[in-house]
Amino acid sequence: MKMLSGLARVGSRLHKMVVALPLLALFAGQVKAQAVPPLDSIPSQAELDKAITALDAALFDAYNRCDLEKFASFFVDGVEFYHDQGGVTLGREKLTESVKKNICGKTTRELVPGTLQVYYMKGYGAIEMGVHRFHHPGHEDTEGVGEGRFIHLWQYKDGAWKITRVMSYDHHTAGK
C-alpha cells in the first residue's frame, strides 16, 4: 500500500509539473521578449537610449522575419499607425494583417546608423525618432532602396513596453 501511495504522490507531482511547464514557458517568453527595464527604474538618458534601441531591434527583427505574433506583441490593441503613403491604420490586428499582406517576403527594414533619437515622456514612456531604410530582397535593382522617417510613441504599462502611436513619413528613394 505504501508503494501505491508513493506512486500516487509522484503522479500528482508529475501532473503539477506538466501543468506548470507551459505557464513557466509563457512567463519565460514574456521576460525574454521584454528584457528591458521598467520606465521608473531607468536612471539616465543613456540607459533609456539603450532600452529603446533594444526594443527597436527586437520589433524589427520580428518584422524582418515575419514573426507576426511577436511583431504584434509590441503594440497596444488600439495602436494608431499614420503612414504618409498608406494612410491611417487603426488597431493591432489591422496593422499586423497589413504587414502580412504588404511586407512579409517583400521588404526588410534597417535603422540608419546614427539617426535614432529617444526622448523621455514622464509617467508614460518615450518617444523614438529616426530614419530607416527598406530593402526589397531580390528586387533591389528594380525597386531600389526606400528611406523614411518614423516616430514611435512607447508606453510602459502593466509591466511591458508597447507602442501606442506610429508616424511613418517622408518616404523616398534612398540616395546612394
Side-chain angles (χ1 to χ4, degrees):
M1 194 53 119
K2 266 187 170 180
M3 187 169 181
L4 287 177
S5 175
L7 286 174
R9 281 194 306 269
V10 169
S12 176
R13 281 189 229 140
L14 183 59
H15 174 69
K16 287 177 185 173
M17 285 175 50
V18 168
V19 169
L21 280 175
L23 295 173
L24 184 60
L26 178 65
F27 177 73
Q30 287 178 337
V31 169
K32 185 177 179 188
Q34 289 271 318
V36 176
L39 178 64
D40 61 359
S41 70
I42 296 177
S44 66
Q45 181 65 44
E47 289 298 312
L48 182 62
D49 290 348
K50 184 177 170 184
I52 299 301
T53 299
L55 288 165
D56 182 86
L59 168 67
F60 283 101
D61 176 64
Y63 174 97
N64 288 339
R65 291 183 306 106
C66 201
D67 182 344
L68 296 175
E69 185 176 334
K70 184 173 181 185
F71 175 79
S73 75
F74 287 96
F75 299 92
V76 297
D77 286 337
V79 65
E80 296 177 12
F81 186 100
Y82 300 91
H83 192 284
D84 63 348
Q85 295 176 4
V88 178
T89 303
L90 301 176
R92 178 173 53 202
E93 189 175 321
K94 286 184 181 178
L95 176 59
T96 304
E97 277 303 311
S98 179
V99 168
K100 181 179 180 180
K101 178 182 173 187
N102 300 304
I103 301 300
C104 289
K106 301 173 188 171
T107 303
T108 59
R109 180 262 197 183
E110 75 169 317
L111 179 65
V112 175
T115 66
L116 192 69
Q117 299 174 36
V118 178
Y119 300 93
Y120 173 74
M121 294 292 294
K122 183 178 180 175
Y124 191 84
I127 295 175
E128 172 191 15
M129 300 167 56
V131 177
H132 44 204
R133 288 200 181 112
F134 297 95
H135 300 271
H136 308 280
H139 301 282
E140 291 197 359
D141 55 333
T142 57
E143 297 201 33
V145 176
E147 193 170 271
R149 297 180 180 277
F150 69 94
I151 300 171
H152 293 165
L153 180 57
W154 288 93
Q155 180 182 37
Y156 185 80
K157 184 177 177 184
D158 299 330
W161 286 92
K162 302 223 181 218
I163 298 173
T164 59
R165 305 286 181 277
V166 175
M167 286 174 236
S168 189
Y169 60 99
D170 191 29
H171 289 91
H172 56 273
T173 303
K176 298 207 182 227

